[in-house]
């Protein structure tokens, strides 16, 4: 299977092709066959980010596990949306920041939303975002986004397990627990 990776994801440093530090991604080159630059085929793997701790064998069993994994986003000054990608055993494969917006809303581009899960061979997804106001109650836009991503995820063969909204003071809301997924 071949995936088309945007060429902006990588830059040349000397003779090495490396991740572009100006491009927010958790993709890292693990193999680059010899050949002309234009014809390079790269294999990528999700790498663990120290920002989110170590994922190895981190299994998600409930929304509290999601909160424990992602609680650091509660201090973000603007709304950020992250995607937690899981394998068939609900072990975390990686976390990708999907969008960063303003104080009250963020726009998600569906093409970017599904790029990392396809590359990671994820089977299940969890949306996580913060509310800079500190109030984790879902807005009508949050619920509409969840419904849209749930339908699209199913069409693409992913299971959307939850959408967790993180507020301040260790408060969070699981839309799955509220029966909205």
């Amino acid at each position: 299977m071949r995936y088309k990776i945007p060429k902006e994801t990588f830059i040349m440093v000397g003779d090495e092709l490396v991740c572009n530090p100006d491009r927010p991604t958790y993709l890292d080159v693990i193999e680059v066959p010899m050949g002309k630059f234009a014809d390079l085929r790269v294999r990528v793997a999700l790498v663990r980010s120290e920002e989110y701790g170590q994922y190895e064998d981190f299994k998600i069993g409930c929304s509290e596990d999601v909160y424990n994994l992602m609680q650091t986003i509660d201090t973000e000054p603007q709304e950020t949306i992250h995607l937690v990608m899981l394998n068939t055993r609900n072990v975390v494969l990686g976390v990708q920041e999907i969008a960063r917006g303003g104080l009250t809303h963020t726009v998600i581009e569906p093409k970017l939303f599904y790029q990392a899960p396809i590359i990671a061979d994820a089977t299940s997804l969890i949306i996580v975002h913060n509310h800079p106001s500190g109030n984790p109650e879902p807005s009508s836009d949050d619920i509409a986004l969840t419904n849209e991503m749930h339908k699209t995820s199913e069409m693409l063969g992913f299971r959307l397990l939850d959408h967790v909204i993180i507020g301040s003071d260790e408060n969070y809301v699981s839309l799955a627990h509220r029966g909205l997924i």
Side-chain angles (χ1 to χ4, degrees):
M1 186 173 285
R2 201 185 295 174
Y3 299 107
K4 188 172 185 177
I5 309 297
K7 63 183 174 185
E8 303 84 28
T9 303
F10 303 101
I11 59 173
M12 291 299 290
V13 176
D15 294 328
E16 290 184 30
L17 185 66
V18 298
C19 285
N20 184 343
D22 297 326
R23 178 108 172 151
T25 181
Y26 295 102
L27 299 175
D28 194 14
V29 177
I30 58 173
E31 180 182 312
V32 180
M34 299 302 290
K36 294 180 182 176
F37 181 73
D39 297 328
L40 284 178
R41 293 184 187 141
V42 296
R43 292 175 62 205
V44 296
L46 289 168
V47 295
R48 293 171 182 86
S49 167
E50 291 178 22
E51 180 180 346
Y52 298 105
Q54 296 297 316
Y55 304 144
E56 194 166 331
D57 297 325
F58 191 98
K59 187 172 184 174
I60 300 291
C62 63
S63 58
E64 185 177 0
D65 294 338
V66 177
Y67 173 77
N68 289 334
L69 177 69
M70 298 298 299
Q71 65 184 334
T72 59
I73 70 169
D74 69 347
T75 59
E76 290 282 344
Q78 64 219 113
E79 193 165 284
T80 60
I81 299 178
H82 298 259
L83 187 62
V84 179
M85 296 162 280
L86 308 166
N87 67 14
T88 56
R89 296 179 298 122
N90 288 348
V91 173
V92 176
L93 297 172
V95 175
Q96 177 75 41
E97 182 178 296
I98 300 299
R100 182 172 289 269
L103 295 175
T104 59
H105 73 282
T106 302
V107 177
I108 292 181
E109 193 173 328
K111 181 171 70 172
L112 296 176
F113 183 88
Y114 293 105
Q115 183 179 30
I118 289 170
I119 292 170
D121 288 329
T123 58
S124 300
L125 309 172
I126 299 172
I127 301 169
V128 183
H129 85 274
N130 67 321
H131 278 176
S133 69
N135 180 358
E137 285 300 314
S139 67
S140 58
D141 287 342
D142 293 334
I143 294 168
L145 169 72
T146 303
N147 291 332
E148 180 183 332
M149 292 296 121
H150 185 257
K151 290 175 190 170
T152 308
S153 295
E154 281 186 342
M155 286 190 315
L156 293 173
F158 297 109
R159 291 181 310 142
L160 182 62
L161 300 179
D162 205 345
H163 181 169
V164 176
I165 302 170
I166 296 178
S168 59
D169 300 323
E170 299 183 13
N171 288 316
Y172 66 93
V173 170
S174 161
L175 274 68
H177 286 175
R178 296 227 175 143
L180 298 172
I181 292 184

